[in-house]
Amino acid sequence: AVVSTQSTGDGGEGFSSPNLSCKWSFEVGGAWKLLEGFRDGQTQVDHPIDEGRAHWAHPIDLHYAIKGIQGWPKLSIQVFSEDVYGRTQLVGYGFTHLPTSPGFHQVTCPTWQLAGSTMEQVQSYFIDSGPQLLSDDVITSGADRYRLQTIASGTVYLSLYIVARNFAKYGIDA
């Protein structure tokens, strides 16, 4: 069976800083094999004129061969802000599951960032760099994420086209 997605990372809004870019990565289980496309990527930096919504319109095109639906894809997202000196700062983490039904889906992905201790918040104010995760695996894994102290960040918008082929032929019930 094959699952394909032709998607776009449309943009984001509600973040503490403008001039945003997005780094994305798909996490899948062992029954999934990437046939075509890139598992991860990054958008350009958008400098919105009105400091409103950042528009990326970045294409994401993946094709997977699957043996079962265990390990259905999760999309991990990291949003960065760029200052006037070209320095980047992480302003949000997020993840969403790829929709399981074929067709067009508009998905909103809320993001969060680490709250940090009082000292880290003071440092963040002066040096424009907040606390970051040591491992990106925590973004999609609920095992350790519940221990983190986080604050809401912004929202990332995605347009996803899902194509599922030959599910019935291989006995996969989606």
Side-chain angles (χ1 to χ4, degrees):
V2 176
V3 173
S4 300
T5 178
Q6 290 80 32
S7 310
T8 57
D10 291 336
E13 67 182 350
F15 293 92
S16 59
S17 304
N19 307 332
L20 302 173
S21 67
C22 180
K23 181 178 172 183
W24 53 269
S25 175
F26 279 91
E27 307 293 328
V28 296
W32 293 70
K33 179 183 177 190
L34 183 63
L35 297 176
E36 190 175 354
F38 297 102
R39 191 183 77 79
D40 51 15
Q42 184 168 340
T43 69
Q44 81 284 356
V45 177
D46 183 38
H47 300 273
I49 294 172
D50 61 359
E51 294 192 12
R53 183 174 177 171
H55 297 278
W56 299 313
H58 186 80
I60 302 170
D61 189 9
L62 296 168
H63 305 278
Y64 283 100
I66 66 171
K67 295 178 183 175
I69 61 172
Q70 297 81 13
W72 195 265
K74 295 182 238 181
L75 178 60
S76 170
I77 294 172
Q78 296 179 36
V79 179
F80 295 88
S81 175
E82 183 180 89
D83 67 12
V84 295
Y85 303 108
R87 298 176 300 190
T88 58
Q89 175 183 350
L90 183 74
V91 293
Y93 294 103
F95 89 95
T96 186
H97 291 272
L98 203 65
T100 57
S101 62
F104 175 71
H105 304 273
Q106 289 188 304
V107 176
T108 58
C109 179
T111 63
W112 49 271
Q113 59 188 24
L114 296 173
S117 66
T118 304
M119 180 58 100
E120 288 170 329
Q121 290 176 6
V122 170
Q123 286 176 326
S124 174
Y125 177 80
F126 287 107
I127 61 173
D128 255 356
S129 179
Q132 296 183 14
L133 294 173
L134 296 175
S135 171
D136 295 343
D137 296 338
V138 176
I139 299 170
T140 57
S141 167
D144 293 322
R145 197 174 59 238
Y146 73 93
R147 297 181 191 179
L148 300 175
Q149 292 182 346
T150 63
I151 54 175
S153 195
T155 304
V156 172
Y157 301 98
L158 305 157
S159 294
L160 306 173
Y161 294 92
I162 308 298
V163 177
R165 294 185 320 192
N166 301 326
F167 272 43
K169 180 179 176 182
Y170 292 101
I172 300 172
D173 188 24

